[in-house]
Amino acid sequence: MRRLGIVKSGLGCLICLGGWGSFAVEPGLAQELDSYSQGMVVSAHPLASEAGLRMLQQGGNAVDAAVASTFAISVVEPFSAGIGGGGFLLFHEAETGQMHSLDFRERAPLAATEMMYLDEAGEPEPRASLDGHRAVGVPGTVAGLAEVHRRYGVLPWEEVVEPALRLAEEGFIVHQRFVDAVERRQEVLLGNAAAREAFTRQGDLYEVGETLRQPQLAESLRRLAENPGDFYQGEIAEAIAADMAAYGGLVTLADMAAYEPIWRDPVCGMFRQFQVCAMGPPSSGGVHLLQILNLIGDRPLETQGLHHPDTVHFLAEAMRIAYADRATYLGDPDFVEVPVAELISLGYAEYRRPQIDENRAQDSAEVTAVDPSRLRQVGESPETSHLTVVDGDGNGVSLTFTVNGGFGAGVVAAGTGILLNNEMDDFSVAPGVPNLYGLVGGEANAIAPGKTPLSSMTPTIVLEDNRLRLALGSPGGSTIITTVLQVLLNVLVYELDVAEAIAAPRFHHQWLPDRLLLQEGGFDSETVENLRQRGHEIEQWGGWGNANAIVVTEDNRLQGAADPRGDGTALGW
């Protein structure tokens, strides 16, 4: 028996699959699929979810669906992620029970130098690591998708690329988030002739409801459907390198040819009865997610209720500790020694936990990383995009990818339609200098040729009794780790429905700047005042993140939800 899932809101079935892209769906609603379900896809855009769902319907597995959805997001949400960027993937292989993680993050060009964004006085050049060709790192998305598909996909490669190709060639209806993203970055986009051609009507901005076609991107996708290697050693690689050379960028044909994705060990740890696995360095996400969960330990969060001021305070202080450690220790493990085992150890959590004052917020200047020798003694964009897939065999994919800031570097490689990232900003331009998301770093994340910049991306998969229980993730720059943490706790500890877990108000602390962010309207005045009385400097924001998740129930039903803060949806059959 195969069927579409029914939205749990009581509004009836809001999904009607017909011709390509010809369905209506209300974003952000959960779906619950019965035990006959053949799988589920949740992504940041309905058309990307549909692309993945069609792979499942055509006999594909979770990897095929994830690859198709990733390519589709590259077309319909170029401001958040794309084939000119990079990311991380976590894959739970049901047959073997193994957890695999793939690093296809962007890398620094071979000509990159530690001081490349500093002026003669040693001061950072404004926006040099954010705008234009010099901000671009070597893209990894195509290599990563080709590699995971080669190893684990079952459908022909050209079949999983085809939905994105059609969306680029035939076009899609422009939505509000696209319009807003273009308006935010219109100065740099209009300043690049190829970007201006790709994302505007001869300089006029698209409006909601109009159709955007990307013929040059479609031609690039057609080449990639025939041979993904063309991106790194063929005509596409040559076009990217030529565009870089023409505008002062550092990425060369040699950089493109040298790029290879890296299979890395995921970081895994126990939280109560759950095994939590996430991406390890060069992502900081998995390390600090587990670090905070260890600090929570058996603290009875559920007895206080969601967003009790004692809980918010404790978690904010735990976040403060984790982000202080991030700034000191985390970087590319191929270049620096990252004390992963120590940071995620129970012994380290036991050492750090007593440093949290239950009644007072610490000044971030008081919270510093522990000396490495002491660590060993204790024993142990607002952009970006995320998607989750679970197939009928219990395989699960959690994938986060990005071009970093909105529309990346704001440049398109001439003749290709491919938007390029500004991932070089995720390095430490100089010690103590914050990046786009306010994160600071040190020598561990300094620029070096061929090095991978530190990331906060946190694709996560949770097992219970060796069985997939939860797959989740989110975009959001520096807030990714804390968003994933809160969704995970909402599902596993507070036992919220997956849609409620994702929609719940969020809070965030990242050590520096020293402030506690609260979602505006999500916390009552008594809680806010209580936190202020404890010494928290509070800022209230309108909301952040665009999380999605799939829960596997005890009776093997699938429940999925996309964030109501975005345009995504859950689709399944």
Side-chain angles (χ1 to χ4, degrees), residues 391-410:
D391 64 27
D393 294 323
N395 300 301
V397 172
S398 181
L399 185 155
T400 312
F401 74 127
T402 189
V403 289
N404 198 34
F407 281 103

Side-chain angles (χ1 to χ4, degrees), residues 72-202:
I73 282 288
S74 300
V75 177
V76 298
E77 288 204 349
F79 53 86
S80 64
I83 61 174
F88 299 103
L89 174 148
L90 208 63
F91 172 50
H92 171 65
E93 188 179 12
E95 183 177 2
T96 65
Q98 293 183 320
M99 195 76 68
H100 310 279
S101 65
L102 183 63
D103 167 10
F104 55 96
R105 178 84 156 143
E106 304 90 333
R107 309 243 164 82
L110 296 174
T113 65
E114 186 172 352
M115 312 294 282
M116 63 183 287
Y117 298 118
L118 304 183
D119 61 22
E120 294 180 357
E123 296 296 322
E125 299 178 29
R127 301 198 65 83
S129 62
L130 288 169
D131 298 336
H133 291 73
R134 289 183 68 237
V136 178
V138 184
T141 294
V142 173
L145 297 181
E147 170 63 13
V148 72
H149 180 268
R150 179 191 66 80
R151 185 173 293 198
Y152 298 111
V154 296
L155 293 177
W157 169 256
E158 59 270 19
E159 197 168 317
V160 300
V161 179
E162 193 265 349
L165 194 165
R166 290 178 62 185
L167 286 168
E169 191 167 59
E170 299 175 11
F172 66 95
I173 303 300
V174 168
H175 51 89
Q176 189 64 53
R177 292 184 69 224
F178 180 93
V179 171
D180 292 344
V182 173
E183 288 179 349
R184 286 193 296 270
R185 293 283 277 158
Q186 63 177 302
E187 182 177 355
V188 66
L189 291 172
L190 293 174
N192 176 254
R196 184 175 182 270
E197 179 181 2
F199 302 122
T200 73
R201 290 181 278 97
Q202 299 179 335

Side-chain angles (χ1 to χ4, degrees), residues 45-73:
H45 194 285
L47 293 173
S49 295
E50 184 186 7
L53 180 66
R54 286 181 181 263
M55 297 305 104
L56 297 178
Q57 292 174 321
Q58 290 163 205
N61 63 11
V63 167
D64 297 310
V67 172
S69 293
T70 302
F71 271 116
I73 282 288

Side-chain angles (χ1 to χ4, degrees), residues 81-431:
I83 61 174
F88 299 103
L89 174 148
L90 208 63
F91 172 50
H92 171 65
E93 188 179 12
E95 183 177 2
T96 65
Q98 293 183 320
M99 195 76 68
H100 310 279
S101 65
L102 183 63
D103 167 10
F104 55 96
R105 178 84 156 143
E106 304 90 333
R107 309 243 164 82
L110 296 174
T113 65
E114 186 172 352
M115 312 294 282
M116 63 183 287
Y117 298 118
L118 304 183
D119 61 22
E120 294 180 357
E123 296 296 322
E125 299 178 29
R127 301 198 65 83
S129 62
L130 288 169
D131 298 336
H133 291 73
R134 289 183 68 237
V136 178
V138 184
T141 294
V142 173
L145 297 181
E147 170 63 13
V148 72
H149 180 268
R150 179 191 66 80
R151 185 173 293 198
Y152 298 111
V154 296
L155 293 177
W157 169 256
E158 59 270 19
E159 197 168 317
V160 300
V161 179
E162 193 265 349
L165 194 165
R166 290 178 62 185
L167 286 168
E169 191 167 59
E170 299 175 11
F172 66 95
I173 303 300
V174 168
H175 51 89
Q176 189 64 53
R177 292 184 69 224
F178 180 93
V179 171
D180 292 344
V182 173
E183 288 179 349
R184 286 193 296 270
R185 293 283 277 158
Q186 63 177 302
E187 182 177 355
V188 66
L189 291 172
L190 293 174
N192 176 254
R196 184 175 182 270
E197 179 181 2
F199 302 122
T200 73
R201 290 181 278 97
Q202 299 179 335
D204 293 330
L205 305 191
Y206 281 91
E207 297 180 1
V208 174
E210 294 186 308
T211 298
L212 173 65
R213 296 179 177 86
Q214 300 170 78
Q216 291 185 345
L217 180 59
E219 181 57 33
S220 292
L221 289 169
R222 186 170 285 108
R223 289 183 180 278
L224 295 177
E226 296 173 358
N227 174 23
D230 193 84
F231 194 94
Y232 296 94
Q233 298 188 54
E235 291 188 19
I236 293 177
E238 291 170 359
I240 291 174
D243 197 68
M244 285 283 134
Y247 293 98
L250 299 185
V251 177
T252 66
L253 200 56
D255 287 306
M256 298 294 288
Y259 187 93
E260 291 184 0
I262 302 171
W263 290 99
R264 300 189 186 272
D265 292 333
V267 293
C268 297
M270 295 301 297
F271 174 64
R272 303 182 182 180
Q273 74 267 33
F274 306 104
Q275 184 184 31
V276 180
C277 293
M279 196 70 208
S283 174
S284 62
V287 169
H288 298 307
L289 175 64
L290 290 176
Q291 184 180 10
I292 297 170
L293 290 173
N294 285 341
L295 286 167
I296 295 169
D298 58 3
R299 184 183 180 92
L301 302 180
E302 54 272 44
T303 64
Q304 295 178 328
L306 189 65
H307 295 159
H308 189 283
D310 289 349
T311 297
V312 176
H313 169 75
F314 179 87
L315 290 179
E317 294 303 291
M319 294 170 185
R320 191 194 305 264
I321 289 172
Y323 280 81
D325 285 342
R326 182 190 190 278
T328 300
Y329 293 119
L330 271 290
D332 184 345
D334 296 334
F335 285 75
V336 296
E337 183 179 353
V338 183
V340 173
E342 291 86 353
L343 288 169
I344 67 173
S345 69
L346 295 176
Y348 183 52
E350 291 168 3
Y351 172 74
R352 279 293 215 176
R353 195 180 296 116
Q355 298 171 17
I356 296 176
D357 188 324
E358 296 282 354
N359 299 306
R360 185 183 71 88
Q362 295 189 76
D363 187 317
S364 284
E366 302 172 4
V367 180
T368 57
V370 177
D371 180 85
S373 62
R374 178 61 184 168
L375 257 183
R376 295 185 177 90
Q377 289 172 19
V378 299
E380 295 208 38
S381 354
E383 301 300 345
T384 305
S385 193
H386 181 82
L387 59 94
T388 50
V389 183
V390 176
D391 64 27
D393 294 323
N395 300 301
V397 172
S398 181
L399 185 155
T400 312
F401 74 127
T402 189
V403 289
N404 198 34
F407 281 103
V411 299
V412 168
T416 70
I418 298 171
L419 180 84
L420 298 172
N421 67 84
N422 61 352
E423 209 61 68
M424 293 298 288
D425 186 65
D426 268 3
F427 283 111
S428 300
V429 173

Side-chain angles (χ1 to χ4, degrees), residues 516 525 527-540:
L516 174 59
S525 57
T527 297
V528 175
E529 182 57 30
N530 183 295
L531 294 167
R532 281 202 176 100
Q533 290 297 321
R534 298 186 200 216
H536 289 285
E537 184 69 32
I538 290 176
E539 291 186 22
Q540 298 195 52

